[in-house]
Amino acid sequence: MASAWRLVMFIVMGLAGVGVLVALILTLGEANNQRNRASSLQSHSYDVMILARTLSGTIARSEAALGRYVISGDKQLGRLYFEDWRRAKDQLQRLANLTRDNAAQRPMVDRLQSAFDERGEQLSLTALATNYGKNQQALSRYYEARQASALTEINRLLDEVIASERTLLITRTEATMALVERSTRAAFVLSSFGVLLLIGAIILGWLTMRASTDRAIARAEADVAHARADELSIAVAEATEELRAQEARLRQAQKMDAIGQLTGGIAHDFNNMLAVVIGGLELAQRSLASGGPDTSRHLESAREGAVRAAELTRRLLAFAREGAIAPERIHVGTLLTGMRDLLDRTLGDAIQIDIIEHGDEAHVRADRVQFENCILNLAVNARDAMDGRGRVSITSGVERTTAGTFVTIAVRDDGCGMTPDIMERVFEPFFTTKPVGKGTGLGLSQIFSFARQLDGEVAIESTPGAGTTVILRLPQDREADVVAAVDEATTVEIGMAENLTILVVEDDERVLRATVGALEELGHRVIACDDPLRAPALLDDNAPVDLIMSDVLMPVQTGPEMVEALPERHGHIAVLFVTGYAGEASDAAMFGGHHVLRKPFTLAALERSLADAFSRGTAATADRMAAE
């Protein structure tokens, strides 16, 4: 019976121990679950508050970048503004996802989205005004935007979201702590009973040790994963820098390839023209030796080749210059025809170019260089859309609408085309569909700006897989040119005194010799000078001198520097500058109001320039004497 009793007691104690152990385990498990849930909710609240603060900082950083962009006009700052604002939009979307399960916070996030969109429209107008060069308007818009209610609304709503989440966090934490406290008390009671049971104590100790070991292992694994993530971040940063360096090298190689392609075509044209010049001169030389009748024809052929070479040089230099905007009356068909050689060399032999002209009234008033740049940019975009092979058609015409009469220039390709969503964004600054390093996203936005400056517009028609047509509409210019064009090869009557005494300053001996011969052919007395530093002495020795004809760029002293340094006793002498560089002639202040003649020049052009320079010098002298 004692054994039975002990057995019963053992069973009872065992069952009691098992019951206490089970209750203790369940209590601890529930406490752990509540603690984990509290930690998850706490982490969620911290994520919401941190994301709200991050969103506020991103918006502030984006607006600061826009402010610097408005003040400096730096396109890189505009890109920083655009990227930060897009990042803020993504952060706002994540905030909406995090608060979707909170009925109290959803209305606040919806109002925050509306205020954010309103603020985005205000800043977008400021950025567009800056991109189009309207800095005063952009600065005014920026300061108005700083006082706008949308910004205050955004900050207020973000503060409300954070305050709401903080209150929710406190409430959840208090409830969880109360539950955990109750669970702890129950565990204490059960543990007191368990102390009486050796097996329960041993099992409880073993479970505790095992839980501690698991946490230590998990912590060690987390540290290893964190270190691995840091190493991966460093590797990604190094790879990114390497890719950027490779991109820069690729961009430079592409530039050099484009330059090589263009200069190769130019060299080909120049060789053809030089072949005409050299061949004509040799044939003329043989004809003179044999007394043949074709000497004049051969000389005219050589002269025509030289004139074509000079015209090509003038167009290339004028196209490459960066000078002030100079609006003029332009016939679009003539301009497109004149650009054919440049387009052929730029786009390559794999692109077939068709230039179609409709109407003789297609005149616009615009800066020629800007206009040519627009046409060239559109043609290059068309080439890229066809992967460098296909047909580009450029059509000009006149379109009459209720809004007025417009000159249209349509550039069409048979390339890949564009989808509607891309067409809606093609005129946005910095937007481009080209791969990294292939485009800045400024080409079409600059063309849009050019058209708007002339009160025109740009339209795009495109179908994926069927090609794209870009239509440039500009107001028609109905006013005739004030000054009629004059053929330089035609000799005109010049109302100028003959037999002038002219000092020619030129450091190139061959050019000096040719210029002296041309002036003597026109009947003038010429004094040759190959060093600008000798000019004052020659003026004193050969006084009176009527006119100084000087080259601009010389190694010892430039022509304008020489004229400026002349003694006052020579200030009455008329001056004619001669230059072969396109860029410097656009700087009127550099030449002090004196006439400028471009190299190469014909005898007729030289005679007209002498007359103009002499008349300017005479008028300036008369004005100075009247003032004295």
Side-chain angles (χ1 to χ4, degrees):
M1 291 179 62
S3 297
W5 176 253
R6 284 194 298 269
L7 179 60
V8 171
M9 290 298 295
F10 177 79
I11 293 174
V12 170
M13 290 181 64
L15 292 176
V18 171
V20 170
L21 181 60
V22 170
L24 183 60
I25 292 174
L26 292 176
T27 302
L28 292 175
E30 180 63 18
N32 287 332
N33 289 336
Q34 292 298 329
R35 189 179 293 107
N36 292 336
R37 183 173 180 274
S39 298
S40 176
L41 293 175
Q42 189 179 46
S43 177
H44 178 273
S45 296
Y46 286 145
D47 289 341
V48 171
M49 290 187 289
I50 291 173
L51 185 56
R53 290 301 184 194
T54 303
L55 174 59
S56 178
T58 304
I59 292 175
R61 188 168 57 254
S62 175
E63 294 197 5
L66 176 61
R68 295 194 299 273
Y69 176 44
V70 170
I71 295 173
S72 64
D74 187 356
K75 299 293 184 181
Q76 183 63 29
L77 293 176
R79 186 181 292 275
L80 289 176
Y81 148 70
F82 180 79
E83 292 176 352
D84 284 338
W85 194 259
R86 184 177 58 188
R87 189 175 297 111
K89 184 177 181 180
D90 295 338
Q91 293 170 355
L92 180 57
Q93 183 61 43
R94 291 203 301 275
L95 181 62
N97 293 336
L98 285 175
T99 58
R100 184 177 293 116
D101 59 343
N102 192 321
Q105 290 179 345
R106 277 201 304 270
M108 289 188 287
V109 175
D110 292 340
R111 294 198 302 273
L112 179 61
Q113 180 69 58
S114 300
F116 180 85
D117 293 339
E118 179 182 353
R119 186 63 175 172
E121 293 177 358
Q122 295 171 354
L123 299 182
S124 177
L125 293 175
T126 303
L128 286 176
T130 303
N131 183 69
Y132 296 149
K134 301 178 180 179
N135 293 339
Q136 288 297 119
Q137 181 181 355
L139 190 59
S140 176
R141 287 182 179 275
Y142 179 74
Y143 280 113
E144 289 179 1
R146 294 295 297 176
Q147 306 298 325
S149 60
L151 179 60
T152 305
E153 183 69 6
I154 289 173
N155 293 330
R156 185 185 65 80
L157 289 171
L158 286 174
D159 291 339
E160 288 185 4
V161 170
I162 294 172
S164 172
E165 193 64 33
R166 184 179 291 111
T167 303
L168 183 60
L169 174 62
I170 293 172
T171 303
R172 288 172 174 174
T173 302
E174 291 175 350
T176 303
M177 291 302 295
L179 181 59
V180 169
E181 185 178 358
R182 289 195 299 271
S183 299
T184 302
R185 285 198 298 267
F188 177 77
V189 173
L190 293 172
S191 297
S192 299
F193 287 106
V195 169
L196 302 176
L197 304 171
L198 180 60
I199 295 176
I202 294 173
I203 293 175
L204 180 60
W206 178 76
L207 290 175
T208 303
M209 291 179 61
R210 183 173 179 179
S212 299
T213 302
D214 290 342
R215 281 197 298 270
I217 293 173
R219 187 179 296 109
E221 291 177 349
D223 292 340
V224 172
H226 183 71
R228 189 175 302 166
D230 290 341
E231 293 176 358
L232 182 61
S233 298
I234 295 174
V236 170
E238 293 176 352
T240 302
E241 290 300 324
E242 178 63 23
L243 287 175
R244 287 176 179 172
Q246 292 179 2
E247 178 188 349
R249 290 194 291 270
L250 176 61
R251 188 183 299 112
Q252 183 64 23
Q254 290 170 344
K255 289 181 181 179
M256 296 304 296
D257 179 69
I259 293 173
Q261 182 178 5
L262 181 59
T263 53
I266 295 170
H268 175 268
D269 288 347
F270 262 103
N271 285 334
N272 289 341
M273 297 171 189
L274 290 176
V276 173
V277 174
I278 294 173
L281 292 176
E282 288 183 348
L283 290 174
Q285 187 178 22
R286 291 192 178 187
S287 179
L288 283 174
S290 61
D294 296 331
T295 302
S296 177
R297 180 170 61 85
H298 294 322
L299 289 176
E300 178 60 25
S301 178
R303 190 194 70 83
E304 181 181 354
V307 169
R308 287 184 59 197
E311 177 63 17
L312 178 59
T313 302
R314 185 196 67 79
R315 287 183 56 79
L316 288 171
L317 290 176
F319 182 78
R321 83 180 193 271
E322 293 184 0
I325 297 177
E328 59 180 289
R329 192 169 193 255
I330 301 173
H331 184 263
V332 176
T334 304
L335 180 136
L336 294 176
T337 303
M339 289 183 65
R340 175 176 285 277
D341 290 341
L342 184 62
L343 291 170
D344 286 338
R345 301 309 173 195
T346 302
L347 302 185
D349 296 335
I351 299 296
Q352 181 177 348
I353 303 175
D354 296 332
I355 296 179
I356 305 170
E357 178 184 357
H358 295 298
D360 296 332
E361 301 177 355
H363 289 87
V364 298
R365 185 165 295 276
D367 180 77
R368 182 177 295 272
V369 175
Q370 280 192 336
F371 200 179
E372 290 179 344
N373 270 316
C374 285
I375 300 300
L376 186 61
N377 280 336
L378 291 175
V380 170
N381 284 345
R383 178 199 64 187
D384 293 343
M386 298 184 296
D387 291 333
R389 182 176 299 275
R391 179 189 297 271
V392 176
S393 63
I394 305 176
T395 306
S396 66
V398 178
E399 180 181 284
R400 292 173 175 83
T401 65
T402 56
T405 304
F406 294 87
V407 176
T408 61
I409 303 95
V411 180
R412 174 173 176 76
D413 62 72
D414 53 7
C416 58
M418 291 183 289
T419 58
D421 58 327
I422 293 179
M423 288 176 57
E424 291 179 356
R425 302 187 59 193
V426 291
F427 295 123
E428 294 182 8
F430 310 119
F431 177 78
T432 177
T433 59
K434 298 179 181 179
V436 175
K438 295 292 186 180
T440 62
L442 292 175
L444 285 176
S445 65
Q446 291 176 342
I447 293 173
F448 178 79
S449 176
F450 169 75
R452 291 295 296 271
Q453 287 176 359
L454 301 180
D455 294 330
E457 61 181 18
V458 185
I460 294 182
E461 300 173 357
S462 182
T463 303
T468 301
T469 302
V470 181
I471 304 173
L472 189 64
R473 292 186 177 91
L474 303 177
Q476 182 189 31
D477 182 33
R478 295 178 174 273
E479 298 180 3
D481 285 337
V482 178
V483 181
V486 180
D487 186 357
E488 289 188 355
T490 305
T491 303
V492 296
E493 295 294 332
I494 305 297
M496 181 186 70
E498 298 181 354
N499 299 324
L500 297 177
T501 300
I502 302 175
L503 174 67
V504 179
V505 184
E506 170 63 61
D507 63 309
D508 191 310
E509 182 180 351
R510 291 168 297 181
V511 178
L512 178 62
R513 196 163 49 242
T515 304
V516 169
L519 291 172
E520 290 177 345
E521 179 68 20
L522 293 177
H524 303 293
R525 174 174 171 261
V526 183
I527 305 165
C529 176
D530 59 359
D531 185 355
L533 298 179
R534 295 176 49 222
L538 290 175
L539 290 174
D540 291 333
D541 295 341
N542 296 274
V545 174
D546 301 305
L547 185 140
I548 300 173
M549 182 176 177
S550 173
D551 189 21
V552 174
L553 296 180
M554 292 180 286
V556 178
Q557 189 181 44
T558 67
E561 291 173 347
M562 177 198 71
V563 172
E564 186 177 357
L566 288 176
E568 186 177 355
R569 62 181 177 276
H570 299 308
H572 66 282
I573 302 176
V575 177
L576 172 62
F577 288 115
V578 184
T579 181
Y581 177 54
E584 60 195 19
S586 62
D587 188 0
M590 174 181 177
F591 302 101
H594 297 296
H595 188 73
V596 181
L597 174 63
R598 297 286 186 87
K599 296 178 183 178
F601 49 81
T602 62
L603 286 178
L606 175 60
E607 193 168 8
R608 284 196 301 273
S609 296
L610 288 173
D612 185 81
F614 186 75
S615 62
R616 289 191 188 185
T618 303
T621 301
D623 292 341
R624 187 166 53 251
M625 293 177 64
E628 293 176 353

